[in-house]
Amino acid sequence: MQLYIDTANLDEIKEAHDLGVLDGVTTNPTLIAREGVDYGKRLAEICEVVKGPVSAEVIALDAAGMIEEGVQRAEIAENIVVKLPCTVDGLKACKSLTDRDIRTNLTLCFQPLQALMVAKAGAFLVSPFIGRIDDIGEDGMDLIHRIRAIYDNYGFETKILAASIRHPKHMLDCALAGADVATVPFKVIAQFMQHPLTDKGLDAFLADYQKTFGR
Ligand code: E4P
């Protein structure tokens, strides 16, 4: 299972990269706006640090505009993946960019037929947003299971990138459900190696050792 970080903050990206297990990065217009920086410049900075896929979202809503922006974003670095919305225009742009050998990430996926259609259009990644589905009282994980079943039924190679992950249980459930990738905020990644019994056990080991050997 691959792990991406879901942020446009360079310090967080560098810190996550230093863990040695980071496979890629996802950004979106909200995350860039939060940083208050130029989108293209920040993408270039991120691609200097992380050599795996870096998702760069388009702002245009029409297919022609998305394709134009997508081609420009792809020129920033070879590991840029163009992020397009799961709309009819996004689908057309996905097909066109795929035909030009530009990888795409189809985002804002909230139902399985969107995932089926974008796989047919050659998407490299599809991003089901599980947290936002939970937020409206439905089951985000059910979407991951359904997409996994559809992709396995037909051998689609599009990778399922579980997005909108809010807590470690989401990550665990995605791993059990067979999501190919999860994109996770830094504060959630930071919880993945935590357990109180690990801390307690370590304290006890050190205390016992010091009692006998004095240091
Ligand atoms: C993924 O690519 C999105 O940027 C992200 O996961 C959205 O998460 P949110 O629902 O917490 O905003």
Side-chain angles (χ1 to χ4, degrees):
M1 186 185 193
Q2 293 201 317
L3 173 66
Y4 293 1
I5 187 167
D6 194 26
T7 185
N9 181 286
L10 210 51
D11 292 334
E12 289 184 349
I13 290 167
K14 285 178 182 165
E15 205 171 331
H17 176 69
D18 284 349
L19 296 174
V21 294
L22 188 70
D23 298 295
V25 180
T26 51
T27 65
N28 66 37
T30 300
L31 294 172
I32 282 287
R34 198 174 287 162
E35 300 301 312
V37 293
D38 176 77
Y39 203 168
K41 187 167 173 284
R42 177 52 53 93
L43 287 167
E45 290 168 338
I46 295 171
C47 290
E48 282 293 306
V49 178
V50 178
K51 297 303 171 195
V54 174
S55 286
E57 192 154 343
V58 298
I59 307 297
L61 296 176
D62 63 297
M66 288 182 200
I67 294 164
E68 191 183 337
E69 260 186 68
V71 169
Q72 286 167 5
R73 296 251 190 265
E75 282 169 2
I76 294 172
E78 65 176 16
N79 52 328
I80 287 284
V81 173
V82 177
K83 209 172 176 190
L84 305 162
C86 277
T87 59
V88 169
D89 283 273
L91 184 71
K92 291 178 188 168
C94 173
K95 180 71 175 78
S96 171
L97 291 171
T98 302
D99 288 346
R100 296 164 202 235
D101 288 331
I102 293 174
R103 293 182 297 177
T104 58
N105 171 3
L106 274 286
T107 190
L108 292 167
C109 174
F110 291 98
Q111 55 107 335
L113 294 181
Q114 289 175 315
L116 171 62
M117 294 294 277
V118 305
K120 286 180 66 62
F124 173 62
L125 296 161
V126 64
S127 293
F129 274 38
I130 59 179
R132 292 192 194 187
I133 295 176
D134 290 354
D135 288 346
I136 59 163
E138 293 179 14
D139 182 5
M141 279 312 303
D142 184 55
L143 179 57
I144 302 288
H145 286 289
R146 288 172 160 214
I147 299 173
R148 181 75 280 154
I150 291 169
Y151 283 8
D152 289 350
N153 280 348
Y154 298 102
F156 286 121
E157 288 179 4
T158 302
K159 291 181 194 302
I160 302 173
L161 194 178
S164 190
I165 288 192
R166 305 276 169 76
H167 47 70
K169 177 82 164 57
H170 272 154
M171 180 70 178
L172 174 60
D173 290 343
C174 285
L176 292 170
D180 301 290
V181 193
T183 188
V184 187
F186 182 76
K187 67 174 194 296
V188 181
I189 293 176
Q191 297 174 65
F192 289 167
M193 287 297 288
Q194 287 178 3
H195 196 284
L197 291 181
T198 303
D199 298 337
K200 194 176 164 192
L202 194 55
D203 286 347
F205 284 156
L206 290 178
D208 290 344
Y209 189 87
Q210 281 165 354
K211 249 183 269 164
T212 300
F213 298 107
R215 64 187 164 88

